[in-house]
Amino acid sequence: MTISYKTYLPEESELTVQEVPLGTPYLKAGAMHLGKYCEAQNNEFMLCRSETKDPRACIKEGKEVTSCSMEFFKKVKATCAAEFTSYAMCLERSSSDFLFSPCRKTQSALDSCIMDNMNLERPHFGYHCLPKIHHTDRPKPLEEKPAYLDNPKARKLQELPADFPRDYKSWGGAGIHQGHGGAI
């Protein structure tokens, strides 16, 4: 997107939200449950981004995603803090690239705690890759017709003119070195 002096940019106060104050191991430890918990808000945000192709139009939806994430991690902290911390520490300390495989026991403990206290089941592997239909109350954005379509010079012909060549012979053949005389 090209920006000019006429482009509206939101004020910093519009963009300022409380961020999720967690590091990589904690975000990775809660990612699967967070994706399920905030699925509706995240889908609404991504739909807005793909339809409008302008991040300025989706500030409200982005704030909703961030507030949902904050709400999720506050609930996890209130109900499953010990299990969550042990799983995140296992991810951080067991390998340099935060592999899940060495931490299946602590993952299982966190999954059962979240299921018992928040009634949120861990989604199966590949859940977030499945195609889904998202219903929204937000109206579909209007597609602006390019200005050149209104120009009479650029208007497409409704039909070919009567003197338009109808065979390849008048064009010199279908190929450069074809000896077929225009008949294919």
Side-chain angles (χ1 to χ4, degrees):
M1 179 173 134
T2 306
I3 295 178
S4 70
Y5 70 93
K6 295 179 183 178
T7 304
Y8 165 75
L9 294 176
E11 296 292 324
E12 188 174 351
S13 60
E14 292 179 67
L15 301 174
T16 305
V17 294
Q18 183 182 3
E19 295 180 11
V20 179
L22 297 174
T24 303
Y26 290 92
L27 291 173
K28 190 163 184 175
M32 292 296 282
H33 293 98
L34 173 65
K36 180 78 172 166
Y37 186 82
C38 298
E39 185 173 19
Q41 292 87 346
N42 194 40
N43 288 349
E44 185 70 28
F45 174 71
M46 294 308 294
L47 180 67
C48 177
R49 285 290 307 266
S50 77
E51 282 183 347
T52 61
K53 302 201 181 1
D54 184 5
R56 297 169 300 170
C58 306
I59 292 173
K60 181 179 77 81
E61 288 84 358
K63 287 181 179 183
E64 289 174 7
V65 171
T66 305
S67 67
C68 180
S69 300
M70 288 295 292
E71 176 187 328
F72 171 76
F73 284 116
K74 285 178 183 178
K75 285 184 179 181
V76 168
K77 182 179 178 182
T79 58
C80 303
E83 292 86 351
F84 183 64
T85 303
S86 67
Y87 183 43
M89 288 293 97
C90 180
L91 288 174
E92 184 175 24
R93 295 177 181 163
S94 64
S95 65
S96 61
D97 50 354
F98 305 106
L99 291 178
F100 290 114
S101 54
C103 303
R104 295 299 184 195
K105 288 182 182 177
T106 52
Q107 175 186 331
S108 178
L110 176 65
D111 290 347
S112 62
C113 180
I114 289 180
M115 183 64 184
D116 294 341
N117 295 317
M118 296 174 62
N119 198 25
L120 184 64
E121 187 177 359
R122 181 184 187 88
H124 61 82
F125 184 75
Y127 171 81
H128 297 293
C129 297
L130 294 174
K132 299 172 183 77
I133 296 175
H134 177 73
H135 297 286
T136 182
D137 296 332
R138 192 173 43 79
K140 184 175 180 180
L142 297 174
E143 294 183 25
E144 293 183 28
K145 188 168 74 169
Y148 67 83
L149 290 177
D150 293 332
N151 186 340
K153 292 181 181 178
R155 191 173 56 92
K156 294 183 179 178
L157 295 173
Q158 301 300 327
E159 62 182 56
L160 291 175
D163 61 342
F164 189 81
R166 305 285 177 175
D167 60 358
Y168 289 116
K169 185 175 184 180
S170 58
W171 295 347
I176 297 173
H177 304 291
Q178 311 301 329
H180 52 69
I184 294 183

